[in-house]
Structure formats: C-alpha cells, structure tokens
Amino acid sequence: MTAGIGAEFAAAISPVRLDIRDREAVADAIEAIRPDLVIHTAAGRNRNDWVTNADGAANIALACGDRVRLVHVSSDAIFSGRAGREYTEGDLPDPIYPYGAAKAAAETAVRAIAPGAAIVRTSLIIANGGGGHEQLTYDLVAGRIDGALFTDEIRKPVHADDLADALLEIGAGNFSGVINVAGADAVSRYDLGVLVAERDGLDKGKLRSASGSGRPGDIRLDIGLASKMLHTRLRGAYEFMRASAVPN
C-alpha cells in the first residue's frame, strides 16, 4: 500500500471483532458503526467453510443493502480452468471444488442483495512473507510438511499492497458489478514457489513439482478492465518478487 494511503487509514482504524456467520451481529455492527464503505475480505480458516464463505457474504450484503457502499472480494477459484484462455468479467462461474462453489454462491448473493456492490475477483496474494503460498513454500523447504507444488495450476498472483490500493480506489468510486484485480504475470504454483525461494534466499532445490491436483488448472484473470479503469498499477510476480528478501 502506498505510504500516504496506508498512513491515512491506519490512523483511523479501530478494530471490532465480529463473526460474519451471525446475521444479527453483522447487522448490529453496521448499524452501530454506520460506515461509508465496507470492504469484505473475510474468509473461513477452513477454505471449505460454506457458512463463512457463502452465508457470511450474504449477511454482509444484507447489512449493507443500498445504504452502505460494498466492495466484496471474490476469487479466481470460482472457475474450472477449462476455458483455455484468460477469464473475463463476463464469464460465468463453473466451480469444481467446494471453496470455489462457496465463493461463486457468495457472488450470487451479493449481486442479488446489493446490486450496487463491486465484486472484485482476485488471485493468489503475496504479502512480503505473510501470504499463504509464501508460508507453504517455507514449510516445504524446511521439511515441516511433505508435499509438492503444482506445475499445471496457473494463476496471476497479486501483491497485497497493490490489491489493497485497488480495493480502496474501487471503494471510493461508484463502480458496480464484477472487476478482475490480479497481477500482470501468469505463473504456476511451482514457479511462484521458486520465486519465493529465490527472493528469500531459500534452497529452491528442496521444492518438488507435481501435476494433476484435481483443483482448477489455468484460471488466469483478464485484468484489461482494471488496467484501464484504475490508477493503481497491478504489478506482475516477476516484478514485485525482485523486492528485497523477506526475513524468514
């Protein structure tokens, strides 16, 4: 996130713990806080948690209604990866596993309940060492878990800072509907792991590759609309991975 935007919003943050599975609690929180903008990024710790990922999104949308600007964060996981091309905003979900189905259901709920909302489809999030794929890479290299990274799962990873700036920019505007916000470069999960290892001085030789995960394969997102509409520049993985190494 840019220094100016980060400092401005950090100064205004006052955390409130909330279970988005509790419809009444969500409604009460929105009523008490009366925000101008809600950016819904929450997800279940268990990625197959339908109640959090689908019902929780519906609860947020119901509480916001047409009174509160809503930006809902969705995922490329709503797609099967069978299209053989980049997915555009006009492509309909065709999920093939539970997490993708829950995120697709969440999109449907948000669009029906809060038609003025922006639905942001994104991809793997890299966060200066704190992203899920980064932590997975660290665990694989250290031998804390046994496994491999797939060469046939193709994504367009986005840096957390770029995504955060894009979400704030979208929230400040009046765009409604679906928009893809991902990075500029398409890479496999294995290649992304190698980039993480190289950036952080880890032994990439300890990473094993595999194929045939059963999860979506090629789910690249077309970011043409975001590139035209947003001032935020969406960097590719090969660019943002050239940043300084992350202490591990």
Side-chain angles (χ1 to χ4, degrees):
M1 186 180 296
T2 61
I5 293 178
E8 176 186 348
F9 281 86
I13 290 175
S14 178
V16 175
R17 294 186 65 86
L18 179 66
D19 185 346
I20 63 171
R21 299 170 297 182
D22 185 333
R23 181 175 298 178
E24 290 186 5
V26 173
D28 289 344
I30 296 297
E31 181 64 27
I33 298 169
R34 296 185 178 274
D36 295 316
L37 169 66
V38 170
I39 300 178
H40 175 43
T41 65
R45 291 183 182 275
N46 178 348
R47 293 177 69 81
N48 295 332
D49 181 351
W50 182 281
V51 176
T52 300
N53 294 325
D55 295 355
N59 293 338
I60 296 288
L62 281 167
C64 290
D66 58 2
R67 301 176 303 151
V68 179
R69 171 77 168 143
L70 173 62
V71 177
H72 169 77
V73 178
S74 187
S75 170
D76 53 11
I78 65 172
F79 296 118
S80 67
R82 296 168 180 158
R85 56 169 174 77
E86 293 191 343
Y87 286 90
T88 71
E89 287 81 1
D91 285 310
L92 297 178
D94 61 340
I96 60 172
Y97 76 133
Y99 176 69
K103 296 299 284 186
E107 282 196 13
T108 298
V110 170
R111 294 174 78 169
I113 298 167
I119 296 174
V120 177
R121 293 173 179 164
T122 193
S123 190
L124 294 175
I125 301 171
I126 300 299
N128 296 331
H133 195 85
E134 291 161 290
Q135 293 297 317
L136 174 61
T137 300
Y138 299 155
D139 288 341
L140 289 169
V141 170
R144 290 188 287 268
I145 60 173
D146 182 41
L149 297 174
F150 291 95
T151 57
D152 56 352
E153 288 189 10
I154 312 299
R155 315 287 283 274
K156 295 179 77 173
V158 64
H159 196 282
D161 290 350
D162 298 345
L163 177 58
D165 283 351
L167 292 173
L168 291 171
E169 186 178 347
I170 292 168
N174 57 10
F175 175 85
S176 62
V178 176
I179 183 170
N180 295 335
V181 177
D185 297 331
V187 298
S188 71
R189 281 187 176 268
Y190 174 75
D191 289 338
L192 183 58
V194 169
L195 287 174
V196 170
E198 290 177 342
R199 182 196 66 185
D200 298 342
L202 306 177
D203 183 0
K204 63 184 179 183
K206 293 184 178 180
L207 293 174
R208 292 191 290 113
S209 63
S211 61
S213 69
R215 293 190 301 266
D218 181 356
I219 47 177
R220 294 167 292 148
L221 295 177
D222 182 322
I223 60 170
L225 174 60
S227 298
K228 293 177 182 177
M229 190 180 89
L230 301 178
H231 295 294
T232 300
R233 190 169 71 85
L234 298 170
R235 297 169 293 168
Y238 292 106
E239 178 181 351
F240 60 68
M241 281 296 189
R242 289 198 295 266
S244 58
V246 174
N248 186 38

